Amino acid sequence: MLDFVYYPVSAVLWLWHTGFATVLGDASGLAWVLAIVFLVVTVRVALIRPFLAQVRFSRTMAVLQPQLRELQTRFADDREKLLAESRKLQQQHNFSVLSGCLPILAQMLLFLGLFHVLRSFDRTGAGSSLPFLGSSAPMTAAENAATGNYVFAPGQVQSFLQAKLFAAPLPSTLATSGDSLTAVALVAIPLVLIAAVATHFTARASIARQTETTPQTRVINWMTLWVFPLGTVVAGTVMPLGILVYFATSNTWTYVQQHVVHRRLQAPAVAAQAAPTDRKRE
């Protein structure tokens, strides 16, 4: 269904793994981990422009909300006039709902692509639990050994399934690790904690930039601060290590990118506010 996303994502992962495997060896777990990390970096770099568009959308929305509420009060009995004035206000600020939705849609599609390609390396289990990702019936070990994964040949699929990070198999999970529980836990728990902490502090930074809150936004804020990180921890018990590497990398990137971008966007505003004060002192 989403092959137009899956194939490019798997091709980028293949390129990075091929490069690292040339140096570290085809069966190297580190080669696969680095390939996943750099796949995330590649995708997130490609999404920088949509991310900036989303930031501008959010900032413009924050500026427009008080003015839109004022229009709603002024033209409460004249819906046509309200719509006309609202459109006029949005045009003055070059505001478009589409510009805010497209970046989110692009990020969701690429997230699904990353998740699905990594999950599809091992189809001897239950497979993806999300039907819209194109999940199918579980394969036997023999069938999986003879089946590729998008641009990956069967031999490369087996390389991934046999790869280990600090003695922990990349396809393994905390819930199904069996005799490898200790080795898997030593890798999975730090990755889950990194992902959860990054999620929490990303939400905290986003909330700190809010100019006003409502009862609804306070509930959402509480969920993003605590429920979403807790959900990351719970999901971490059933996610393969390869996907946990993705989550830890992606969530950390999100936090750092948000910090850097908003700090740079605030610098011109601070300078503009300081300029009149400096002139008065002169």
Side-chain angles (χ1 to χ4, degrees):
M1 181 178 177
L2 294 177
D3 284 352
F4 69 96
V5 176
Y6 301 151
Y7 277 99
V9 167
S10 62
V12 175
L13 180 62
W14 181 89
L15 286 171
W16 280 117
H17 177 256
T18 300
F20 287 118
T22 301
V23 178
L24 302 172
D26 291 337
S28 170
L30 182 59
W32 280 107
V33 170
L34 289 174
I36 294 170
V37 170
F38 278 84
L39 168 63
V40 174
V41 171
T42 302
V43 170
R44 298 306 294 269
V45 167
L47 287 173
I48 284 179
R49 289 182 67 87
F51 174 78
L52 292 175
Q54 186 179 347
V55 170
R56 296 189 190 97
F57 172 87
S58 299
R59 285 173 170 255
T60 304
M61 188 67 178
V63 171
L64 290 180
Q65 279 180 339
Q67 300 179 56
L68 288 172
R69 281 198 296 269
E70 183 181 344
L71 290 177
Q72 290 170 355
T73 302
R74 187 189 308 174
F75 303 108
D77 299 326
D78 191 342
R79 184 169 180 79
E80 291 186 3
K81 184 66 173 178
L82 174 61
L83 292 174
E85 291 296 322
S86 297
R87 282 196 295 266
K88 181 179 178 181
L89 181 63
Q90 292 173 0
Q91 290 171 357
Q92 290 173 352
H93 290 81
N94 295 319
F95 179 81
S96 170
V97 175
L98 187 62
S99 66
C101 295
L102 286 179
I104 297 174
L105 178 61
Q107 292 180 61
M108 287 181 60
L109 285 175
L110 287 170
F111 160 74
L112 293 176
L114 288 166
F115 180 89
H116 181 68
V117 170
L118 291 175
R119 188 69 181 85
S120 295
F121 273 103
D122 184 7
R123 282 156 290 183
T124 60
S128 173
S129 60
L130 303 177
F132 55 86
L133 292 182
S135 59
S136 56
M139 294 182 178
T140 65
E143 289 173 330
N144 199 40
T147 304
N149 181 24
Y150 296 99
V151 304
F152 289 95
Q156 293 170 307
V157 172
Q158 290 307 301
S159 170
F160 179 85
L161 295 177
Q162 296 167 10
K164 294 183 178 181
L165 178 62
F166 302 119
L170 285 181
S172 60
T173 72
L174 278 171
T176 61
S177 53
D179 295 338
S180 303
L181 177 61
T182 301
V184 173
L186 289 174
V187 177
I189 291 175
L191 290 173
V192 169
L193 290 178
I194 290 171
V197 169
T199 300
H200 173 81
F201 280 100
T202 298
R204 184 176 292 275
S206 178
I207 292 169
R209 288 190 297 271
Q210 292 179 354
T211 56
E212 56 181 322
T213 60
T214 64
Q216 291 80 7
T217 58
R218 282 193 286 273
V219 171
I220 294 173
N221 290 344
W222 181 82
M223 291 181 64
T224 57
L225 274 174
W226 305 109
V227 177
F228 291 174
L230 179 60
T232 301
V233 173
V234 173
T237 63
V238 296
M239 293 290 185
L241 290 184
I243 294 178
L244 293 183
V245 171
Y246 156 71
F247 272 124
T249 305
S250 181
N251 292 8
T252 302
W253 178 282
T254 298
Y255 172 72
V256 174
Q257 177 178 260
Q258 178 181 256
H259 176 76
V260 171
V261 168
H262 284 282
R263 186 173 182 179
R264 290 191 175 184
L265 288 175
Q266 286 174 352
V270 172
Q273 290 176 356
T277 304
D278 294 340
R279 284 195 292 270
K280 289 179 181 179
R281 290 177 180 175
E282 293 175 358

